[in-house]
Amino acid sequence: MSYKLTYFNLTALGEPIRLILHYGKINFEDNRIEYGDDWPTVKQTLPLPYGQMPILEHDGKLAHQSLAICRYVAKLAKLVGENDWENLEIDAAADTVNDFRQKIGQFSYEKDPDVKEKKKEALFGEILPYYVEKLEEQIKNNNGYLAAGKLTWADLYLVGILDYLNWMLGKDLLEEAPQMKALYEKVRGIPEIKAYIDQRPKTMM
Amino acid sequence: MSYKLTYFNLTALGEPIRLILHYGKINFEDNRIEYGDDWPTVKQTLPLPYGQMPILEHDGKLAHQSLAICRYVAKLAKLVGENDWENLEIDAAADTVNDFRQKIGQFSYEKDPDVKEKKKEALFGEILPYYVEKLEEQIKNNNGYLAAGKLTWADLYLVGILDYLNWMLGKDLLEEAPQMKALYEKVRGIPEIKAYIDQRPKTMM
């Protein structure tokens, strides 16, 4: 019944899964791959269904896709909703955070300087303020959480990728988002999560 | 207990939800919005949580995010897995199809002609062949379906957006994908789905 999570030795898309597993006190092997010059070679040795991490292995089976893995481990950790509609709200919140992450990534990973400058204007001028305002409102309307008025895996998804979002943006999103900041601190203050964060490897993001 | 689905009068991201609802013989109002010059004005009158459709209304509640809605209605239609791991595989398959859709969309919706040409090269030269080969292999290994060796909502998601993918690409993906083509025809041959498709509005995509 053991689990093995394989991801870069970074937070980013692996961290929400790690947070959920630690929250649920679920035993797992935290297999961390260094992202270095030899990554293309190392990649060939890993069983990645569509060339991407994270992957989760369990009982001889293997799964990919970070949000799908989050949802699965959230069931083990009892971070899901009480009924189908609550789970719909939780899924929608996580997908919205993921949309936001992708929009930031499209700017951050853009290589062409002119294109990047245009994307920066749209991101900082429109997209970012829009999402921050909406997310703040959503957290306010959900008792300090993203969905269903209580702590769910959508919150751990957001908190788990926030450092990565800030790294991509080169600024701290929480400075102008008091609701999100309170949620971030609340989740990181949960004893199981705090204990993990205090001892996790220090990485660039 | 009635449902109301609001989306453009197009297939695209609304169609997988419509297919799942019809498959499950679930009564719903198929509220179709014309995408015309007045869309910005019409949009202001709709209760869209993050400015996007589709949305699903039920019992005075409202939800957004197409994949989350698909997963919810799939539970009603009994198109989900038998256990948590099967659902993980189904979710991962749907997310992979969605990744593929987004990569096609990033090319299709690009406005700058030079940037679009570069994206076209990457898409048609690398991304498309990669995904088609992987998806073909996955369908072959899953008894003719995307996941769990049986018909699930991931299949209806793929079949539901295929015409949209082809419209964005300007070519028929199924020409070089016999496994996907067989799955497409099998799903569209299901009596409840065939009956719906035969009478649905004819739209540009």
Side-chain angles (χ1 to χ4, degrees), chain B residues 134-174:
Chain B
K134 291 276 181 185
L135 287 167
E136 285 289 288
E137 194 184 309
Q138 184 168 340
I139 296 168
K140 200 173 177 183
N141 293 338
N142 273 283
N143 193 30
Y145 299 98
L146 275 171
K150 63 188 172 193
L151 183 74
T152 70
W153 69 271
D155 301 308
L156 275 64
Y157 184 71
L158 172 63
V159 172
I161 66 163
L162 246 170
D163 297 333
Y164 175 49
L165 300 186
N166 285 339
W167 179 84
M168 288 194 289
L169 286 166
K171 67 171 272 187
D172 184 2
L173 266 177
L174 299 179

Short mmCIF file of all heavy atoms in Angstrom, two decimals, chain B residues 134-174:
data_model
loop_
_atom_site.label_atom_id
_atom_site.label_comp_id
_atom_site.label_asym_id
_atom_site.label_seq_id
_atom_site.Cartn_x
_atom_site.Cartn_y
_atom_site.Cartn_z
N LYS B 134 0.77 8.83 -28.91
CA LYS B 134 0.54 8.43 -27.52
C LYS B 134 -0.92 8.06 -27.28
O LYS B 134 -1.23 7.09 -26.59
CB LYS B 134 0.94 9.57 -26.57
CG LYS B 134 2.42 9.84 -26.51
CD LYS B 134 3.08 8.89 -25.53
CE LYS B 134 4.57 9.16 -25.42
NZ LYS B 134 5.23 8.16 -24.55
N LEU B 135 -1.82 8.88 -27.82
CA LEU B 135 -3.25 8.61 -27.62
C LEU B 135 -3.66 7.31 -28.32
O LEU B 135 -4.43 6.52 -27.76
CB LEU B 135 -4.10 9.79 -28.11
CG LEU B 135 -4.05 11.04 -27.23
CD1 LEU B 135 -4.65 12.25 -27.95
CD2 LEU B 135 -4.78 10.82 -25.88
N GLU B 136 -3.12 7.08 -29.50
CA GLU B 136 -3.41 5.83 -30.22
C GLU B 136 -2.98 4.63 -29.38
O GLU B 136 -3.72 3.65 -29.25
CB GLU B 136 -2.67 5.82 -31.57
CG GLU B 136 -3.30 6.71 -32.63
CD GLU B 136 -4.62 6.15 -33.14
OE1 GLU B 136 -4.63 5.15 -33.86
OE2 GLU B 136 -5.66 6.74 -32.77
N GLU B 137 -1.78 4.72 -28.82
CA GLU B 137 -1.23 3.65 -27.99
C GLU B 137 -2.11 3.43 -26.75
O GLU B 137 -2.42 2.30 -26.37
CB GLU B 137 0.18 4.10 -27.57
CG GLU B 137 1.08 3.04 -26.98
CD GLU B 137 2.39 3.70 -26.54
OE1 GLU B 137 3.00 4.43 -27.36
OE2 GLU B 137 2.78 3.52 -25.37
N GLN B 138 -2.52 4.56 -26.15
CA GLN B 138 -3.34 4.49 -24.93
C GLN B 138 -4.69 3.82 -25.22
O GLN B 138 -5.15 2.98 -24.43
CB GLN B 138 -3.54 5.91 -24.38
CG GLN B 138 -4.29 5.96 -23.07
CD GLN B 138 -4.23 7.34 -22.42
OE1 GLN B 138 -3.35 8.15 -22.72
NE2 GLN B 138 -5.15 7.61 -21.51
N ILE B 139 -5.31 4.19 -26.32
CA ILE B 139 -6.61 3.61 -26.68
C ILE B 139 -6.45 2.11 -26.98
O ILE B 139 -7.26 1.28 -26.56
CB ILE B 139 -7.24 4.37 -27.87
CG1 ILE B 139 -7.54 5.82 -27.47
CG2 ILE B 139 -8.52 3.68 -28.36
CD1 ILE B 139 -7.89 6.75 -28.64
N LYS B 140 -5.37 1.77 -27.67
CA LYS B 140 -5.09 0.36 -27.99
C LYS B 140 -4.92 -0.45 -26.71
O LYS B 140 -5.41 -1.59 -26.61
CB LYS B 140 -3.81 0.29 -28.84
CG LYS B 140 -3.68 -1.00 -29.63
CD LYS B 140 -2.50 -0.94 -30.58
CE LYS B 140 -2.34 -2.27 -31.31
NZ LYS B 140 -1.16 -2.25 -32.20
N ASN B 141 -4.23 0.13 -25.73
CA ASN B 141 -3.95 -0.57 -24.47
C ASN B 141 -5.13 -0.58 -23.51
O ASN B 141 -5.05 -1.18 -22.44
CB ASN B 141 -2.75 0.07 -23.75
CG ASN B 141 -1.46 -0.13 -24.51
OD1 ASN B 141 -1.36 -1.05 -25.32
ND2 ASN B 141 -0.48 0.73 -24.28
N ASN B 142 -6.19 0.13 -23.84
CA ASN B 142 -7.34 0.23 -22.93
C ASN B 142 -8.61 -0.31 -23.58
O ASN B 142 -9.70 0.23 -23.37
CB ASN B 142 -7.55 1.67 -22.47
CG ASN B 142 -6.72 2.01 -21.24
OD1 ASN B 142 -7.07 1.62 -20.13
ND2 ASN B 142 -5.61 2.68 -21.45
N ASN B 143 -8.40 -1.34 -24.40
CA ASN B 143 -9.57 -2.04 -24.94
C ASN B 143 -10.43 -1.13 -25.83
O ASN B 143 -11.66 -1.26 -25.87
CB ASN B 143 -10.38 -2.58 -23.74
CG ASN B 143 -11.44 -3.57 -24.12
OD1 ASN B 143 -11.28 -4.29 -25.10
ND2 ASN B 143 -12.54 -3.59 -23.38
N GLY B 144 -9.78 -0.18 -26.50
CA GLY B 144 -10.51 0.70 -27.41
C GLY B 144 -11.06 1.95 -26.77
O GLY B 144 -11.81 2.71 -27.41
N TYR B 145 -10.70 2.18 -25.49
CA TYR B 145 -11.16 3.38 -24.78
C TYR B 145 -9.95 4.13 -24.22
O TYR B 145 -8.83 3.63 -24.27
CB TYR B 145 -12.12 2.98 -23.65
CG TYR B 145 -13.35 2.27 -24.17
CD1 TYR B 145 -13.43 0.87 -24.14
CD2 TYR B 145 -14.41 2.99 -24.71
CE1 TYR B 145 -14.54 0.21 -24.64
CE2 TYR B 145 -15.54 2.33 -25.22
CZ TYR B 145 -15.60 0.95 -25.17
OH TYR B 145 -16.69 0.30 -25.67
N LEU B 146 -10.17 5.29 -23.65
CA LEU B 146 -9.03 6.07 -23.14
C LEU B 146 -8.51 5.59 -21.80
O LEU B 146 -7.33 5.72 -21.50
CB LEU B 146 -9.42 7.56 -23.01
CG LEU B 146 -9.27 8.39 -24.28
CD1 LEU B 146 -9.88 9.77 -24.07
CD2 LEU B 146 -7.81 8.52 -24.70
N ALA B 147 -9.39 5.05 -20.97
CA ALA B 147 -8.97 4.69 -19.60
C ALA B 147 -9.83 3.58 -19.03
O ALA B 147 -10.99 3.40 -19.44
CB ALA B 147 -9.06 5.92 -18.69
N ALA B 148 -9.25 2.85 -18.13
CA ALA B 148 -9.96 1.84 -17.33
C ALA B 148 -10.56 0.71 -18.19
O ALA B 148 -11.38 -0.07 -17.71
CB ALA B 148 -11.05 2.49 -16.47
N GLY B 149 -10.15 0.62 -19.44
CA GLY B 149 -10.59 -0.49 -20.30
C GLY B 149 -12.07 -0.52 -20.63
O GLY B 149 -12.60 -1.55 -21.03
N LYS B 150 -12.73 0.63 -20.47
CA LYS B 150 -14.17 0.67 -20.73
C LYS B 150 -14.62 2.10 -21.04
O LYS B 150 -13.85 3.04 -20.86
CB LYS B 150 -14.93 0.15 -19.51
CG LYS B 150 -14.73 1.01 -18.28
CD LYS B 150 -15.33 0.38 -17.03
CE LYS B 150 -14.92 1.20 -15.81
NZ LYS B 150 -15.20 0.52 -14.55
N LEU B 151 -15.86 2.22 -21.47
CA LEU B 151 -16.40 3.55 -21.78
C LEU B 151 -16.51 4.39 -20.50
O LEU B 151 -17.11 3.96 -19.52
CB LEU B 151 -17.80 3.42 -22.40
CG LEU B 151 -18.44 4.74 -22.83
CD1 LEU B 151 -17.81 5.28 -24.10
CD2 LEU B 151 -19.95 4.57 -23.02
N THR B 152 -15.90 5.60 -20.54
CA THR B 152 -16.01 6.54 -19.42
C THR B 152 -16.20 7.95 -19.98
O THR B 152 -16.11 8.17 -21.19
CB THR B 152 -14.73 6.55 -18.54
OG1 THR B 152 -13.67 7.18 -19.28
CG2 THR B 152 -14.32 5.14 -18.12
N TRP B 153 -16.38 8.88 -19.09
CA TRP B 153 -16.60 10.26 -19.53
C TRP B 153 -15.38 10.85 -20.24
O TRP B 153 -15.53 11.80 -21.03
CB TRP B 153 -17.05 11.14 -18.37
CG TRP B 153 -16.04 11.43 -17.30
CD1 TRP B 153 -15.79 10.70 -16.17
CD2 TRP B 153 -15.15 12.56 -17.23
NE1 TRP B 153 -14.79 11.28 -15.42
CE2 TRP B 153 -14.40 12.42 -16.04
CE3 TRP B 153 -14.92 13.66 -18.05
CZ2 TRP B 153 -13.43 13.36 -15.66
CZ3 TRP B 153 -13.96 14.60 -17.67
CH2 TRP B 153 -13.23 14.44 -16.49
N ALA B 154 -14.19 10.29 -20.01
CA ALA B 154 -13.01 10.78 -20.74
C ALA B 154 -13.20 10.57 -22.25
O ALA B 154 -12.80 11.41 -23.06
CB ALA B 154 -11.74 10.08 -20.26
N ASP B 155 -13.82 9.44 -22.62
CA ASP B 155 -14.09 9.18 -24.04
C ASP B 155 -15.08 10.20 -24.60
O ASP B 155 -14.91 10.70 -25.71
CB ASP B 155 -14.66 7.77 -24.21
CG ASP B 155 -13.70 6.71 -23.68
OD1 ASP B 155 -12.52 6.73 -24.08
OD2 ASP B 155 -14.12 5.88 -22.86
N LEU B 156 -16.11 10.50 -23.83
CA LEU B 156 -17.11 11.47 -24.30
C LEU B 156 -16.52 12.87 -24.35
O LEU B 156 -16.91 13.69 -25.19
CB LEU B 156 -18.38 11.44 -23.44
CG LEU B 156 -19.40 10.37 -23.87
CD1 LEU B 156 -18.87 8.96 -23.72
CD2 LEU B 156 -20.71 10.52 -23.12
N TYR B 157 -15.54 13.12 -23.47
CA TYR B 157 -14.85 14.41 -23.53
C TYR B 157 -14.07 14.52 -24.84
O TYR B 157 -14.20 15.52 -25.57
CB TYR B 157 -13.91 14.58 -22.32
CG TYR B 157 -13.25 15.94 -22.31
CD1 TYR B 157 -14.00 17.08 -22.01
CD2 TYR B 157 -11.91 16.10 -22.63
CE1 TYR B 157 -13.42 18.34 -22.05
CE2 TYR B 157 -11.33 17.35 -22.67
CZ TYR B 157 -12.09 18.47 -22.37
OH TYR B 157 -11.51 19.72 -22.42
N LEU B 158 -13.30 13.49 -25.16
CA LEU B 158 -12.52 13.51 -26.41
C LEU B 158 -13.44 13.61 -27.63
O LEU B 158 -13.24 14.47 -28.50
CB LEU B 158 -11.67 12.23 -26.51
CG LEU B 158 -10.94 12.02 -27.85
CD1 LEU B 158 -9.92 13.12 -28.12
CD2 LEU B 158 -10.25 10.66 -27.89
N VAL B 159 -14.44 12.75 -27.69
CA VAL B 159 -15.33 12.75 -28.85
C VAL B 159 -16.09 14.08 -28.95
O VAL B 159 -16.27 14.62 -30.04
CB VAL B 159 -16.30 11.55 -28.79
CG1 VAL B 159 -17.36 11.64 -29.88
CG2 VAL B 159 -15.52 10.24 -28.90
N GLY B 160 -16.46 14.61 -27.80
CA GLY B 160 -17.20 15.87 -27.78
C GLY B 160 -16.41 17.06 -28.30
O GLY B 160 -16.99 17.99 -28.88
N ILE B 161 -15.09 17.06 -28.09
CA ILE B 161 -14.31 18.22 -28.56
C ILE B 161 -13.57 17.95 -29.87
O ILE B 161 -12.92 18.85 -30.42
CB ILE B 161 -13.31 18.77 -27.51
CG1 ILE B 161 -12.20 17.76 -27.21
CG2 ILE B 161 -14.00 19.24 -26.26
CD1 ILE B 161 -11.00 18.43 -26.52
N LEU B 162 -13.68 16.74 -30.42
CA LEU B 162 -12.90 16.42 -31.61
C LEU B 162 -13.21 17.31 -32.82
O LEU B 162 -12.30 17.73 -33.54
CB LEU B 162 -13.06 14.95 -31.98
CG LEU B 162 -11.76 14.15 -31.84
CD1 LEU B 162 -12.02 12.66 -31.98
CD2 LEU B 162 -10.69 14.59 -32.81
N ASP B 163 -14.49 17.60 -33.02
CA ASP B 163 -14.84 18.45 -34.16
C ASP B 163 -14.24 19.85 -33.99
O ASP B 163 -13.83 20.50 -34.96
CB ASP B 163 -16.36 18.56 -34.31
CG ASP B 163 -16.98 17.21 -34.63
OD1 ASP B 163 -16.30 16.35 -35.21
OD2 ASP B 163 -18.16 17.00 -34.26
N TYR B 164 -14.19 20.30 -32.74
CA TYR B 164 -13.58 21.60 -32.41
C TYR B 164 -12.07 21.57 -32.66
O TYR B 164 -11.51 22.50 -33.25
CB TYR B 164 -13.91 21.92 -30.96
CG TYR B 164 -13.28 23.16 -30.38
CD1 TYR B 164 -13.33 24.38 -31.03
CD2 TYR B 164 -12.65 23.10 -29.13
CE1 TYR B 164 -12.75 25.51 -30.46
CE2 TYR B 164 -12.09 24.22 -28.55
CZ TYR B 164 -12.13 25.42 -29.22
OH TYR B 164 -11.56 26.53 -28.65
N LEU B 165 -11.41 20.50 -32.25
CA LEU B 165 -9.97 20.36 -32.51
C LEU B 165 -9.71 20.40 -34.02
O LEU B 165 -8.80 21.09 -34.49
CB LEU B 165 -9.43 19.05 -31.92
CG LEU B 165 -9.56 18.83 -30.42
CD1 LEU B 165 -8.83 17.55 -30.00
CD2 LEU B 165 -9.02 20.00 -29.62
N ASN B 166 -10.50 19.65 -34.77
CA ASN B 166 -10.33 19.62 -36.23
C ASN B 166 -10.57 20.99 -36.86
O ASN B 166 -9.88 21.39 -37.79
CB ASN B 166 -11.28 18.59 -36.85
CG ASN B 166 -10.79 17.16 -36.61
OD1 ASN B 166 -9.61 16.93 -36.34
ND2 ASN B 166 -11.69 16.21 -36.70
N TRP B 167 -11.55 21.70 -36.32
CA TRP B 167 -11.84 23.04 -36.82
C TRP B 167 -10.65 23.97 -36.57
O TRP B 167 -10.25 24.74 -37.44
CB TRP B 167 -13.10 23.56 -36.12
CG TRP B 167 -13.50 24.95 -36.52
CD1 TRP B 167 -14.24 25.32 -37.62
CD2 TRP B 167 -13.17 26.17 -35.84
NE1 TRP B 167 -14.38 26.68 -37.65
CE2 TRP B 167 -13.74 27.23 -36.58
CE3 TRP B 167 -12.45 26.47 -34.68
CZ2 TRP B 167 -13.62 28.57 -36.18
CZ3 TRP B 167 -12.32 27.80 -34.29
CH2 TRP B 167 -12.91 28.83 -35.03
N MET B 168 -10.06 23.89 -35.37
CA MET B 168 -8.90 24.74 -35.05
C MET B 168 -7.70 24.37 -35.91
O MET B 168 -6.92 25.22 -36.33
CB MET B 168 -8.53 24.62 -33.57
CG MET B 168 -9.51 25.31 -32.62
SD MET B 168 -8.85 25.51 -30.93
CE MET B 168 -8.83 23.83 -30.31
N LEU B 169 -7.53 23.06 -36.15
CA LEU B 169 -6.37 22.58 -36.91
C LEU B 169 -6.52 22.79 -38.41
O LEU B 169 -5.53 22.85 -39.14
CB LEU B 169 -6.15 21.09 -36.66
CG LEU B 169 -5.57 20.69 -35.31
CD1 LEU B 169 -5.74 19.20 -35.09
CD2 LEU B 169 -4.10 21.09 -35.22
N GLY B 170 -7.78 22.84 -38.88
CA GLY B 170 -8.01 22.87 -40.32
C GLY B 170 -7.69 21.54 -40.98
O GLY B 170 -7.39 21.48 -42.17
N LYS B 171 -7.73 20.48 -40.23
CA LYS B 171 -7.54 19.13 -40.80
C LYS B 171 -8.24 18.09 -39.91
O LYS B 171 -8.58 18.38 -38.76
CB LYS B 171 -6.06 18.79 -40.96
CG LYS B 171 -5.29 18.63 -39.66
CD LYS B 171 -3.89 18.07 -39.91
CE LYS B 171 -3.88 16.55 -39.92
NZ LYS B 171 -2.54 15.97 -40.00
N ASP B 172 -8.42 16.90 -40.46
CA ASP B 172 -9.10 15.85 -39.70
C ASP B 172 -8.09 14.96 -39.00
O ASP B 172 -7.40 14.15 -39.62
CB ASP B 172 -9.97 15.01 -40.65
CG ASP B 172 -10.78 13.97 -39.90
OD1 ASP B 172 -10.70 13.93 -38.66
OD2 ASP B 172 -11.49 13.19 -40.56
N LEU B 173 -8.01 15.15 -37.68
CA LEU B 173 -7.10 14.36 -36.85
C LEU B 173 -7.29 12.86 -37.02
O LEU B 173 -6.34 12.09 -36.88
CB LEU B 173 -7.37 14.68 -35.37
CG LEU B 173 -6.55 15.75 -34.69
CD1 LEU B 173 -7.05 15.94 -33.28
CD2 LEU B 173 -5.08 15.34 -34.67
N LEU B 174 -8.52 12.46 -37.29
CA LEU B 174 -8.83 11.03 -37.31
C LEU B 174 -8.24 10.32 -38.53
O LEU B 174 -8.13 9.10 -38.53
CB LEU B 174 -10.35 10.83 -37.27
CG LEU B 174 -11.04 11.39 -36.03
CD1 LEU B 174 -12.54 11.15 -36.09
CD2 LEU B 174 -10.46 10.75 -34.76
#
